[in-house]
Structure formats: structure tokens, C-alpha cells
Amino acid sequence: SMVAESFVGLAAGTLGSLGVTIGAFGAHALKKVLEKRGMQKAWETGVQYQLVHAAAMMGAWALLKSDPNTPGVSTAVKCWAVGVPLFSGSIYGLCLGGPRWLGPVTPIGGTFMIAGWAALVYGSIAGGPSLPSKSL
């Protein structure tokens, strides 16, 4: 549907732009704080996963625009839309000295991200569209 397509584009663009911004903050404004806490690598991991999934959502957006019924894609996007903020957001919070309860949130977010990829696998096995021959 048009609403679903709009959500995917909005989510992808938001995650992507925030990922670049958060990465820049980590490399510049927060660099000394993160180095002092020994958390620079963890911050970069949060940014990396956020940006990879923003790019994956852009791909999902393209698929949904061409065929809104592509199996598994909308489920994948929903899982990523929940998983990325939980995973990356909890890492950012922990890096900045957030509460310890954020620790267990990270693998919950990771599980949602994995579930999104699994939804794509399932969708492709369950009857995803084949590429038109003219595109090969």
C-alpha cells in the first residue's frame, strides 16, 4: 500500500540520516568522551549496523514500489524498524554511560534484525518474484 511504501522510505531515510549524524558526532564532538570510556569501537558498531539496515530498507522500499506484495519484505522492514533502534540505540546509550539495563536490550534488537533477514529468506523460498528476463 501507499502508506506502507511511505513508511519504508521514511524509516530508511531517517535511519540513514541519523546514522551519518551519529557517526559524525562519535568521530568528532564525542570522540574524546568515547576514547576515555574505551567505547569508540562499540559506537562505530552501532553506526555500522544502523547504516547497513538503512540501506537494506532502501532496497526493500524499491521492491515494495515495484510489487507491494513481495513476500517477506514488509515483515523484514517491520523487524528492522524495531530492531535497529533497540540494537544501535542501546549501544549509543551504553557508550555514553547509560543505565545498565540497556545491556540486555542490545541482543533483543539484534534478534529483531536477524528476524528481518530471516523473513526475506522465508519470502524468497515461499514464492518471491523472479526477475524479469529483460533485466538480465
Side-chain angles (χ1 to χ4, degrees):
S1 76
M2 193 67 120
V3 173
E5 288 175 28
S6 296
F7 169 77
V8 178
L10 178 68
T14 301
L15 286 176
S17 61
L18 284 175
V20 172
T21 303
I22 291 167
F25 267 97
H28 302 289
L30 298 174
K31 184 175 182 176
K32 289 196 186 324
V33 173
L34 295 172
E35 284 176 347
K36 182 179 174 186
R37 298 181 59 82
M39 295 299 237
Q40 203 165 18
K41 187 75 175 145
W43 188 273
E44 291 169 2
T45 297
V47 170
Q48 177 185 8
Y49 278 73
Q50 182 170 339
L51 291 174
V52 163
H53 286 84
M57 284 179 134
M58 287 302 293
W61 190 34
L63 279 173
L64 289 173
K65 286 178 94 49
S66 67
D67 180 3
N69 298 313
T70 305
V73 176
S74 64
T75 300
V77 168
K78 290 172 192 168
C79 289
W80 295 335
V82 171
V84 172
L86 290 176
F87 180 85
S88 294
S90 63
I91 289 175
Y92 304 144
L94 289 166
C95 286
L96 297 175
R100 293 178 54 102
W101 60 260
L102 286 174
V105 173
T106 308
I108 293 169
T111 301
F112 272 98
M113 292 190 300
I114 293 166
W117 291 104
L120 291 182
V121 170
Y122 176 78
S124 67
I125 293 169
S130 57
L131 290 173
S133 57
K134 67 180 179 179
S135 68
L136 299 177

